[in-house]
Coordinates of all heavy atoms in Angstrom, one line a residue:
M101 N -19.1 23.3 3.5 CA -17.9 23.1 4.3 C -17.8 21.4 4.2 O -18.8 20.7 4.3 CB -18.0 23.6 5.7 CG -16.8 23.2 6.6 SD -16.9 24.2 8.0 CE -15.3 24.0 8.5
S102 N -16.6 20.9 4.2 CA -16.4 19.5 4.1 C -16.4 19.0 5.6 O -16.3 19.7 6.5 CB -15.1 19.2 3.3 OG -14.0 19.6 4.2
D103 N -16.3 17.7 5.7 CA -16.2 16.9 6.9 C -14.8 17.2 7.6 O -14.6 17.0 8.8 CB -16.4 15.4 6.8 CG -17.9 15.2 6.4 OD1 -18.7 16.0 6.6 OD2 -18.1 14.1 5.8
R104 N -13.8 17.5 6.7 CA -12.4 17.7 7.2 C -12.1 19.1 7.3 O -12.5 20.0 6.4 CB -11.5 17.1 6.2 CG -11.7 15.5 6.2 CD -10.9 14.9 5.0 NE -10.1 15.8 4.2 CZ -8.8 15.6 3.9 NH1 -8.2 14.5 4.3 NH2 -8.1 16.4 3.3
D105 N -11.5 19.5 8.4 CA -11.2 20.9 8.6 C -9.7 21.3 8.1 O -9.4 22.4 8.1 CB -11.4 21.3 10.0 CG -12.8 21.2 10.5 OD1 -13.7 21.5 9.6 OD2 -13.0 20.9 11.6
D106 N -8.9 20.3 8.0 CA -7.6 20.5 7.5 C -7.3 20.6 6.0 O -8.3 20.3 5.2 CB -6.5 19.5 8.1 CG -6.9 18.1 7.7 OD1 -7.8 17.9 6.9 OD2 -6.3 17.1 8.2
D107 N -6.2 21.0 5.6 CA -5.9 21.2 4.1 C -5.1 20.0 3.6 O -4.6 20.2 2.4 CB -5.2 22.5 3.9 CG -6.1 23.8 4.3 OD1 -7.3 23.6 4.0 OD2 -5.5 24.8 4.7
R108 N -4.9 18.9 4.3 CA -4.1 17.9 3.7 C -4.8 17.2 2.5 O -6.1 17.2 2.5 CB -3.8 16.8 4.7 CG -4.9 16.1 5.4 CD -4.4 15.3 6.6 NE -5.7 14.7 7.3 CZ -6.2 13.5 7.0 NH1 -5.7 12.9 6.0 NH2 -7.2 13.2 7.6
P109 N -4.1 16.6 1.6 CA -4.7 16.0 0.5 C -5.5 14.7 1.0 O -5.2 14.0 1.9 CB -3.6 15.5 -0.3 CG -2.3 15.7 0.4 CD -2.7 16.6 1.6
R110 N -6.6 14.3 0.2 CA -7.4 13.2 0.5 C -6.5 11.9 0.3 O -5.9 11.8 -0.7 CB -8.6 13.2 -0.3 CG -9.6 14.3 0.0 CD -10.9 14.2 -0.9 NE -11.5 12.9 -0.6 CZ -12.6 12.8 0.0 NH1 -13.3 13.9 0.5 NH2 -13.3 11.6 0.1
T111 N -6.7 10.9 1.1 CA -6.0 9.6 0.9 C -7.1 8.6 0.8 O -8.4 8.9 1.0 CB -5.2 9.3 2.2 OG1 -6.1 9.2 3.3 CG2 -4.2 10.4 2.5
D112 N -6.7 7.4 0.5 CA -7.6 6.2 0.4 C -8.4 6.1 1.7 O -9.6 5.6 1.7 CB -7.0 5.0 -0.1 CG -6.5 5.0 -1.5 OD1 -7.1 5.9 -2.3 OD2 -5.8 4.2 -2.0
A113 N -7.8 6.3 2.8 CA -8.4 6.1 4.1 C -9.5 7.1 4.3 O -10.4 6.7 5.0 CB -7.4 6.2 5.2
D114 N -9.5 8.3 3.7 CA -10.6 9.2 3.8 C -11.8 8.8 3.0 O -12.9 9.3 3.2 CB -10.0 10.6 3.4 CG -8.9 11.2 4.2 OD1 -9.0 10.9 5.5 OD2 -8.0 11.8 3.6
L115 N -11.5 8.1 2.0 CA -12.6 7.7 1.0 C -13.6 6.6 1.4 O -14.7 6.7 1.0 CB -12.0 7.3 -0.4 CG -11.1 8.3 -1.0 CD1 -10.5 7.7 -2.3 CD2 -12.0 9.6 -1.5
G116 N -13.1 5.7 2.2 CA -13.9 4.6 2.5 C -13.5 3.4 1.7 O -12.8 3.5 0.6
W117 N -13.9 2.2 2.1 CA -13.4 1.0 1.5 C -13.8 0.9 0.0 O -12.8 0.8 -0.9 CB -14.0 -0.2 2.3 CG -13.5 -1.5 1.7 CD1 -14.1 -2.3 0.7 CD2 -12.3 -2.2 2.1 NE1 -13.4 -3.4 0.5 CE2 -12.3 -3.4 1.4 CE3 -11.3 -1.9 2.9 CZ2 -11.3 -4.3 1.4 CZ3 -10.4 -2.9 3.1 CH2 -10.3 -4.0 2.3
E118 N -15.0 1.0 -0.4 CA -15.4 0.8 -1.7 C -14.9 2.0 -2.7 O -14.4 1.7 -3.8 CB -16.9 0.8 -1.9 CG -17.4 0.4 -3.2 CD -16.9 -1.0 -3.7 OE1 -16.7 -1.9 -2.8 OE2 -16.7 -1.2 -4.9
A119 N -14.9 3.2 -2.2 CA -14.3 4.3 -3.0 C -12.9 4.2 -3.2 O -12.4 4.4 -4.4 CB -14.7 5.6 -2.3
A120 N -12.1 3.7 -2.2 CA -10.7 3.6 -2.4 C -10.3 2.4 -3.4 O -9.5 2.5 -4.2 CB -10.1 3.1 -1.0
R121 N -11.2 1.3 -3.3 CA -11.0 0.2 -4.2 C -11.2 0.6 -5.6 O -10.4 0.4 -6.5 CB -12.0 -0.9 -3.8 CG -12.0 -2.1 -4.7 CD -13.0 -3.2 -4.3 NE -13.3 -4.1 -5.3 CZ -14.0 -4.0 -6.3 NH1 -14.8 -2.9 -6.4 NH2 -14.1 -4.9 -7.2
R122 N -12.3 1.5 -5.9 CA -12.6 1.9 -7.3 C -11.5 2.8 -7.8 O -11.1 2.8 -8.9 CB -13.9 2.7 -7.3 CG -15.1 1.8 -7.6 CD -16.4 2.6 -7.7 NE -17.2 2.3 -6.6 CZ -17.5 3.3 -5.7 NH1 -17.2 4.6 -5.8 NH2 -18.3 3.0 -4.7
R123 N -11.0 3.7 -6.9 CA -10.0 4.6 -7.2 C -8.7 3.8 -7.6 O -8.0 4.2 -8.6 CB -9.5 5.5 -6.1 CG -8.5 6.6 -6.3 CD -8.4 7.4 -5.1 NE -7.1 8.1 -5.1 CZ -6.6 8.8 -4.2 NH1 -7.3 9.1 -3.1 NH2 -5.4 9.4 -4.3
Q124 N -8.3 2.7 -6.9 CA -7.1 1.9 -7.2 C -7.3 1.2 -8.6 O -6.4 1.0 -9.4 CB -6.8 0.9 -6.2 CG -6.3 1.7 -4.9 CD -6.2 0.8 -3.6 OE1 -6.7 -0.3 -3.7 NE2 -5.7 1.4 -2.6
L125 N -8.5 0.8 -8.8 CA -8.8 0.0 -10.1 C -8.7 1.0 -11.2 O -8.1 0.6 -12.3 CB -10.3 -0.6 -10.0 CG -10.5 -1.8 -9.1 CD1 -12.0 -2.1 -9.1 CD2 -9.7 -3.0 -9.7
V126 N -9.2 2.2 -11.2 CA -9.0 3.1 -12.2 C -7.6 3.5 -12.5 O -7.1 3.6 -13.6 CB -9.9 4.4 -11.9 CG1 -9.5 5.6 -12.8 CG2 -11.3 4.1 -12.0
A127 N -6.8 3.7 -11.4 CA -5.4 4.0 -11.5 C -4.7 2.8 -12.2 O -3.8 3.0 -13.0 CB -4.8 4.2 -10.1
G128 N -5.0 1.6 -11.9 CA -4.4 0.4 -12.6 C -4.7 0.4 -14.0 O -3.9 0.1 -14.8
R129 N -5.9 0.7 -14.4 CA -6.2 0.7 -15.8 C -5.6 1.8 -16.6 O -5.4 1.7 -17.8 CB -7.8 0.8 -16.0 CG -8.5 -0.4 -15.6 CD -9.9 -0.2 -16.0 NE -10.7 -1.2 -15.1 CZ -11.8 -0.9 -14.4 NH1 -12.3 0.4 -14.6 NH2 -12.5 -1.7 -13.7
A130 N -5.2 2.9 -15.9 CA -4.6 4.0 -16.6 C -3.1 3.7 -16.9 O -2.5 4.4 -17.7 CB -4.7 5.2 -15.8
M131 N -2.5 2.7 -16.2 CA -1.1 2.4 -16.4 C -0.9 1.5 -17.8 O -1.9 0.8 -18.1 CB -0.6 1.5 -15.3 CG -0.4 2.3 -14.0 SD 0.6 1.4 -12.8 CE -0.8 0.5 -12.0
T132 N 0.2 1.7 -18.4 CA 0.5 0.9 -19.5 C 0.9 -0.5 -19.0 O 1.2 -0.7 -17.9 CB 1.7 1.5 -20.3 OG1 2.8 1.4 -19.5 CG2 1.4 2.9 -20.8
P133 N 0.9 -1.5 -19.9 CA 1.4 -2.8 -19.5 C 2.8 -2.8 -18.8 O 3.1 -3.5 -17.9 CB 1.3 -3.7 -20.7 CG 0.3 -3.1 -21.5 CD 0.3 -1.6 -21.3
A134 N 3.7 -2.0 -19.4 CA 5.0 -1.9 -18.9 C 5.0 -1.3 -17.5 O 5.7 -1.8 -16.6 CB 5.9 -1.2 -19.7
Q135 N 4.2 -0.4 -17.2 CA 4.1 0.3 -15.9 C 3.5 -0.7 -14.9 O 3.9 -0.7 -13.8 CB 3.2 1.6 -15.9 CG 3.9 2.7 -16.7 CD 2.9 3.8 -16.9 OE1 1.7 3.6 -17.3 NE2 3.4 5.1 -16.9
R136 N 2.5 -1.4 -15.4 CA 1.9 -2.5 -14.4 C 2.9 -3.5 -14.1 O 3.0 -4.0 -12.9 CB 0.8 -3.2 -15.1 CG -0.5 -2.3 -15.0 CD -1.7 -3.1 -15.4 NE -2.2 -2.2 -16.5 CZ -2.9 -2.6 -17.6 NH1 -3.0 -3.9 -17.8 NH2 -3.3 -1.7 -18.3
L137 N 3.7 -3.9 -15.0 CA 4.8 -4.9 -14.7 C 5.8 -4.3 -13.7 O 6.2 -5.0 -12.8 CB 5.5 -5.3 -16.0 CG 6.7 -6.4 -15.9 CD1 6.2 -7.7 -15.2 CD2 7.2 -6.6 -17.2
R138 N 6.2 -3.1 -13.9 CA 7.2 -2.5 -13.0 C 6.6 -2.4 -11.6 O 7.2 -2.7 -10.7 CB 7.6 -1.1 -13.5 CG 8.5 -0.4 -12.6 CD 9.0 0.9 -13.1 NE 10.0 1.4 -12.3 CZ 10.4 2.7 -12.4 NH1 10.1 3.4 -13.4 NH2 11.2 3.2 -11.5
W139 N 5.3 -2.0 -11.5 CA 4.6 -2.0 -10.2 C 4.6 -3.4 -9.6 O 5.0 -3.4 -8.4 CB 3.2 -1.4 -10.4 CG 2.4 -1.5 -9.2 CD1 2.4 -0.6 -8.2 CD2 1.6 -2.7 -8.7 NE1 1.5 -1.0 -7.1 CE2 1.0 -2.3 -7.5 CE3 1.2 -3.8 -9.2 CZ2 0.2 -3.1 -6.7 CZ3 0.5 -4.7 -8.6 CH2 -0.1 -4.3 -7.3
L140 N 4.3 -4.3 -10.3 CA 4.3 -5.7 -9.8 C 5.6 -6.2 -9.4 O 5.8 -6.6 -8.2 CB 3.7 -6.7 -10.8 CG 3.7 -8.1 -10.4 CD1 2.8 -8.4 -9.2 CD2 3.2 -9.0 -11.5
E141 N 6.7 -5.9 -10.1 CA 8.0 -6.2 -9.6 C 8.4 -5.5 -8.3 O 9.0 -6.1 -7.5 CB 9.0 -6.0 -10.7 CG 8.9 -6.9 -11.9 CD 9.6 -6.5 -13.2 OE1 10.1 -5.4 -13.3 OE2 9.9 -7.4 -14.1
E142 N 8.2 -4.2 -8.3 CA 8.5 -3.5 -7.1 C 7.7 -3.9 -5.9 O 8.2 -4.1 -4.8 CB 8.2 -2.0 -7.3 CG 9.2 -1.4 -8.3 CD 8.9 0.0 -8.7 OE1 7.7 0.5 -8.3 OE2 9.6 0.7 -9.4
T143 N 6.4 -4.3 -6.1 CA 5.6 -4.8 -5.0 C 6.1 -6.1 -4.5 O 6.1 -6.3 -3.3 CB 4.2 -4.8 -5.4 OG1 3.7 -3.6 -5.9 CG2 3.3 -5.3 -4.3
M144 N 6.4 -7.0 -5.4 CA 6.9 -8.3 -5.1 C 8.3 -8.2 -4.3 O 8.4 -9.0 -3.3 CB 7.1 -9.2 -6.3 CG 5.7 -9.6 -7.0 SD 4.6 -10.4 -5.8 CE 5.4 -11.9 -5.5
A145 N 9.1 -7.4 -4.7 CA 10.4 -7.1 -4.0 C 10.1 -6.6 -2.6 O 10.8 -7.1 -1.7 CB 11.3 -6.2 -4.7
T146 N 9.2 -5.8 -2.4 CA 8.9 -5.2 -1.1 C 8.3 -6.4 -0.2 O 8.7 -6.5 0.9 CB 7.8 -4.1 -1.2 OG1 8.4 -3.0 -1.9 CG2 7.4 -3.6 0.2
M147 N 7.4 -7.1 -0.8 CA 6.8 -8.3 -0.1 C 7.9 -9.3 0.3 O 7.8 -9.8 1.4 CB 5.7 -8.9 -0.9 CG 4.5 -8.1 -1.2 SD 3.7 -7.7 0.4 CE 3.3 -6.0 0.0
R148 N 8.9 -9.5 -0.5 CA 9.9 -10.5 -0.1 C 10.7 -9.9 1.0 O 11.1 -10.8 1.9 CB 10.9 -10.8 -1.3 CG 10.3 -11.7 -2.3 CD 11.2 -12.0 -3.4 NE 10.5 -12.5 -4.5 CZ 10.3 -11.8 -5.6 NH1 10.8 -10.6 -5.7 NH2 9.6 -12.2 -6.7
R149 N 11.0 -8.7 1.1 CA 11.8 -8.1 2.2 C 10.9 -8.1 3.4 O 11.4 -8.5 4.5 CB 12.1 -6.6 1.9 CG 13.2 -6.4 1.0 CD 13.8 -5.0 0.9 NE 12.7 -4.0 0.7 CZ 12.3 -3.6 -0.6 NH1 12.8 -4.0 -1.7 NH2 11.4 -2.7 -0.7
W150 N 9.7 -7.8 3.4 CA 8.8 -7.9 4.5 C 8.7 -9.5 5.1 O 8.7 -9.6 6.3 CB 7.5 -7.4 4.2 CG 7.3 -5.9 4.1 CD1 8.4 -5.0 4.3 CD2 6.3 -5.2 3.7 NE1 8.0 -3.8 4.1 CE2 6.7 -3.8 3.7 CE3 4.9 -5.4 3.4 CZ2 5.8 -2.8 3.4 CZ3 4.1 -4.4 3.1 CH2 4.5 -3.1 3.1
L151 N 8.5 -10.4 4.1 CA 8.4 -11.8 4.5 C 9.8 -12.2 5.3 O 9.8 -12.9 6.2 CB 8.3 -12.7 3.3 CG 8.2 -14.2 3.6 CD1 7.0 -14.5 4.4 CD2 8.2 -14.9 2.3
G152 N 10.9 -11.6 4.7 CA 12.1 -12.1 5.4 C 12.2 -11.5 6.8 O 12.7 -12.2 7.7
R153 N 11.7 -10.3 7.0 CA 11.6 -9.7 8.4 C 10.7 -10.6 9.3 O 11.0 -10.7 10.4 CB 11.1 -8.3 8.4 CG 12.1 -7.3 7.8 CD 11.6 -6.0 7.8 NE 12.5 -5.0 7.2 CZ 12.3 -3.8 6.8 NH1 11.1 -3.3 7.1 NH2 13.1 -3.1 6.2
A154 N 9.6 -11.0 8.7 CA 8.7 -11.8 9.7 C 9.3 -13.2 10.0 O 8.9 -13.6 11.1 CB 7.4 -12.0 8.8
R155 N 10.2 -13.7 9.2 CA 10.7 -15.0 9.6 C 11.8 -14.9 10.5 O 12.2 -15.9 11.1 CB 11.2 -15.7 8.3 CG 10.0 -16.1 7.4 CD 10.5 -16.9 6.3 NE 9.4 -17.4 5.6 CZ 9.5 -18.3 4.5 NH1 10.6 -18.6 4.1 NH2 8.4 -18.7 3.9
R156 N 12.4 -13.7 10.7 CA 13.5 -13.6 11.7 C 12.9 -13.6 13.0 O 12.0 -12.9 13.4 CB 14.3 -12.3 11.4 CG 15.2 -12.4 10.2 CD 16.1 -11.1 10.2 NE 15.9 -10.6 8.9 CZ 15.8 -9.3 8.4 NH1 15.6 -8.4 9.3 NH2 15.7 -9.0 7.2
P157 N 13.6 -14.3 14.0 CA 13.0 -14.3 15.4 C 13.3 -12.9 16.1 O 14.4 -12.3 15.7 CB 13.8 -15.4 16.0 CG 15.1 -15.6 15.2 CD 14.7 -15.3 13.8
L158 N 12.5 -12.5 16.9 CA 12.7 -11.4 17.7 C 13.9 -11.5 18.7 O 14.1 -12.7 19.1 CB 11.4 -11.0 18.4 CG 10.3 -10.6 17.7 CD1 9.0 -10.4 18.5 CD2 10.5 -9.3 17.0
P159 N 14.7 -10.5 18.9 CA 15.7 -10.6 20.0 C 15.2 -11.0 21.3 O 14.0 -10.6 21.7 CB 16.4 -9.3 20.0 CG 15.6 -8.5 19.0 CD 14.5 -9.2 18.4
R160 N 15.8 -11.9 22.0 CA 15.3 -12.3 23.3 C 15.6 -11.2 24.4 O 16.8 -10.7 24.3 CB 16.0 -13.7 23.6 CG 15.4 -14.7 22.8 CD 16.0 -16.0 23.2 NE 15.3 -16.4 24.5 CZ 15.6 -17.5 25.1 NH1 16.4 -18.4 24.6 NH2 15.1 -17.8 26.2
R161 N 14.8 -11.0 25.3 CA 15.1 -10.1 26.3 C 15.1 -10.9 27.6 O 14.2 -11.6 27.9 CB 13.9 -9.1 26.4 CG 13.9 -8.0 25.3 CD 12.9 -7.1 25.4 NE 12.9 -6.5 26.8 CZ 12.0 -5.6 27.2 NH1 10.9 -5.3 26.5 NH2 12.0 -5.2 28.4
D162 N 16.2 -10.7 28.3 CA 16.3 -11.4 29.6 C 16.2 -10.5 30.7 O 17.0 -9.7 31.0 CB 17.7 -12.0 29.7 CG 17.9 -13.2 28.7 OD1 16.9 -13.9 28.4 OD2 19.1 -13.3 28.2
D163 N 14.9 -10.4 31.2 CA 14.6 -9.4 32.3 C 14.8 -10.0 33.6 O 14.6 -11.1 33.9 CB 13.1 -9.0 32.1 CG 12.9 -8.1 30.9 OD1 13.9 -7.4 30.5 OD2 11.7 -8.1 30.3

């Protein structure tokens, strides 16, 4: 029997830090250069959106 009792798929969080890191490295090596470039472009676009959100001030609450 495994440590987990549910039937959900394993995620990187279930693996631990080092195992998750190795899994991501292997997945990166399996991609073609074009796929890696697409991943990088999508990731950078996401980071730019998140950065923009972080720079916006929070709405003021007058209690």
Side-chain angles (χ1 to χ4, degrees):
M101 182 168 196
S102 71
D103 294 340
R104 294 169 6 133
D105 294 329
D106 57 6
D107 293 329
R108 65 186 171 88
R110 290 181 63 109
T111 64
D112 287 346
D114 296 326
L115 298 174
W117 183 267
E118 191 59 31
R121 181 180 162 279
R122 272 188 251 114
R123 180 175 160 186
Q124 291 171 352
L125 287 171
V126 169
R129 286 187 204 133
M131 288 190 272
T132 66
Q135 289 170 323
R136 278 187 238 148
L137 178 59
R138 181 176 179 184
W139 172 86
L140 177 61
E141 289 171 341
E142 290 172 355
T143 301
M144 293 302 295
T146 300
M147 293 298 139
R148 282 188 204 101
R149 284 192 306 272
W150 288 355
L151 177 64
R153 287 182 183 167
R155 288 187 175 184
R156 281 188 233 133
L158 294 173
R160 293 183 71 176
R161 290 182 50 189
D162 295 324
D163 291 332

